[in-house]
Amino acid sequence: MTGFSDPIVAAGVAGLPALYAAGVSPVDVTEAYLARIERLNPAINAVVELDPAGARIEARASAQRWAEGKPLSPIDGAPIAVKANIAVEGMAHTAGIKAYAGNVAPADAACVAQLRAAGAVILGTLNMHEAALGATNDNPFLGRCENPHRAGFTPGGSSGGSAAAVAAGLCAVALGTDTMGSVRLPSSYCGVVGYKPALGAIPTDGVTALSWTLDHVGVHARSVEDAALVARACGVEEGSETDEPPLAVLDLDDLVTLEPAVAASFTRTLDILTAAGWRLKRLRIDDLDLGALRRAGLLISEVEGGIEHRRALALDPEGFTPELRSLLAWGGRQTPARLAEAYRLLAESKRKILDTTMPYSGILTPTTPQRAFAFGAPIPASQADLTALGNVLGAPAFALPAGEADGLPLSLQVIGMTDGPTQTLAVRLARALAPAAVPETFR
Amino acid sequence: MTGFSDPIVAAGVAGLPALYAAGVSPVDVTEAYLARIERLNPAINAVVELDPAGARIEARASAQRWAEGKPLSPIDGAPIAVKANIAVEGMAHTAGIKAYAGNVAPADAACVAQLRAAGAVILGTLNMHEAALGATNDNPFLGRCENPHRAGFTPGGSSGGSAAAVAAGLCAVALGTDTMGSVRLPSSYCGVVGYKPALGAIPTDGVTALSWTLDHVGVHARSVEDAALVARACGVEEGSETDEPPLAVLDLDDLVTLEPAVAASFTRTLDILTAAGWRLKRLRIDDLDLGALRRAGLLISEVEGGIEHRRALALDPEGFTPELRSLLAWGGRQTPARLAEAYRLLAESKRKILDTTMPYSGILTPTTPQRAFAFGAPIPASQADLTALGNVLGAPAFALPAGEADGLPLSLQVIGMTDGPTQTLAVRLARALAPAAVPETFR
């Protein structure tokens, strides 16, 4: 995402050291974001709790370290906000659920502690879809989060506040969580980079679980570079450099229906990549049923999420919306055989995809089959069908901004296939693809 | 296992080419095993269906290949029998369940096809515990399989027929399946080598599932060499040679109670290994609850096994014993939350063990906490607690004969920790440990 006239916002994370060298201090950076939040957040409602005092203390400490030439890491001083299901010591840890309104986190989540150890400035917590189980961020407890590109439109979810905050320049980067696409989907709708590192690469300790089978912590950023830097600070390891085999382009014909603007943009992106010399192979995966996979992931989330919230559901059922209560109850009513079949479908689909994609460096798809839609409009069932592939595989996956159509962002997904738990090749692919992802006519 | 006066039985698999060179033909080898089966099987009841005509045809073809100097593999001509839950074309594929009595396999299981492609002679199918869900092999449909070491004693299970057949010299090696220990447990009770390669290393296509999450195909043999050769023929890959880090000896103090003879034998084995220069480290794994792990594995098997047998259960409930029906029904009555917690416990225990054992080449334990017991005696609940670790980890694991006490076999388990899906280090460890596993006083 470019186009911010404020050099501090334009610098993201990776550009901050150059600003520091030019005399801007980490204190200025934090003040700039706090001022933007004050000015812009009321209309967007991405930030739900702010810690200006704490942020200022951390920014001053960072300024001191840079002045002494002893930054803790390349991200020292970067202002970061985190999704409300990630524990930040002393702040409400609600996962967007009213029942947890008074639940103040006694300690930082592991990923937040790692960010602090790297010198990051934690600004506060961000809006999200209730319990991370849904993708509109139409949250009656925290209030709707608006898409910065168009008022009255969903930012997507469940990490809608994270994507919106980054898109609006309310923080340098944001953490989100991603069970079937909850980092990449709102990144697609808000036109920012969404990065879900490999399963377990960022620890989930201190994160309210939706599904311990599928949950990932991820990063929303305005550049691939920023996302990779922050993921690294959160513990994602670099892998070894390898040759770059061809990219696989998933044949979506029988898998999912794309909105015409998304289909056109994706085709143009592929044309641009081919013209630029990329080796692209169209790939069919037999007997892959994205709808069945989505229903399996949803059932697993409803059952595992139901366990996570069991106590609160019993003590304060009214602290959950009727919609969420009904989803969790539905999961609890299924037979164990049905759940076992869901886990099996995930494992077998993963094996099938890995067998088919063995020789490829990555899989390319649009991130979402459609662009953001208005609050109140019918919710497309297939929203997360393409992102969920990344969770089933447990592989690193990026959503990359790919221009706009009628003012609403488009997005390209790349899933890295050869990194294992590391990130080297996926980041390299995303970095190389990012500029090519924007079809000329949409730039 | 040594002590067979018949040179053909003593040759196992690895010794056969030397016999061929000395003028013995694969036809002689097959005839020797067929004769032993005729003489010894009635008292043991390990072999449940025999294909003498097919075996003789395959043996003649093998003889022809060796005569032409063109064997298909090092195991060409080796007579092998397989557990009754593994499909052999044209033979009854029952998984030890009466309901499947008329179920003739239309094709070989993948592992059997691989063995045939390697030139193996398939003798027939072997007794097993009904549905592979249990470890006494007291099967009312196929009849009890006896422990060759003592009449009236269980050979263990569920692959009791496989272990007994190998112990009695009714075949060169046998295939079995192992969900929580079903290859290694009867190998322990029958005093043979039991080898479960890594999860998925031998394909399970054509094998009646008990649990697709935990099922492994494995090999029973009279030497580590034979087991490794046959696993290789079934598709297990060799890995890269690596340095041998120290072995971990699992501290069993709060985990399981060992029968005194097993405890004494294990201690002597460790003493012998230490004296021989092995680097052994005693290892505590905090919060590991083998009983809870066993119950989780059992629940998963009951639910997944219930799915596998759903149709037959509906059509012919009387074709299942009341015991098996009740186990499968119990699984079906649990809440999905309980099942989700079981899968979670498996995944978390695996991570915990891997974190703790990271720097070790293998884990040593006794294979079973006790020796074989009489049919009708109370069944020790902890029988499979130590073997199940290998299934939870998905790592290659061996049961190695470790002498006898009062005529009943003892066994040492080694779980390979650094092989991934391959077998190089685990086999090297097993080969090196096998002679040392037998404490002097028991030899």
Side-chain angles (χ1 to χ4, degrees), chain A residues 209 212 303-304 307-308 310 331-341 343-344 348, chain B residues 209 212 303-304 307-308 310 331-341 343-344 348:
Chain A
W212 51 78
V303 173
E304 296 183 350
I307 295 172
E308 176 82 10
R310 187 157 43 191
R333 276 198 311 271
Q334 305 309 305
T335 62
R338 190 152 182 189
L339 180 64
E341 299 266 31
Y343 287 110
R344 181 186 206 176
E348 288 191 346
Chain B
W212 51 76
V303 173
E304 296 183 350
I307 294 172
E308 176 83 9
R310 187 156 43 190
R333 277 197 310 271
Q334 305 309 304
T335 62
R338 189 151 181 191
L339 179 65
E341 300 266 32
Y343 286 109
R344 180 185 206 175
E348 288 192 345

Side-chain angles (χ1 to χ4, degrees), chain A residues 127-139:
Chain A
N127 208 331
M128 62 182 286
H129 198 103
E130 187 188 21
L133 188 51
T136 62
N137 219 307
D138 193 353
N139 187 320

Side-chain angles (χ1 to χ4, degrees), chain A residues 30-57:
Chain A
T30 286
E31 291 299 342
Y33 281 112
L34 289 174
R36 288 183 67 89
I37 291 170
E38 196 178 336
R39 179 159 59 88
L40 300 170
N41 191 58
I44 297 171
N45 193 30
V47 180
V48 293
E49 191 177 357
L50 199 58
D51 178 20
R56 286 179 172 124
I57 290 169

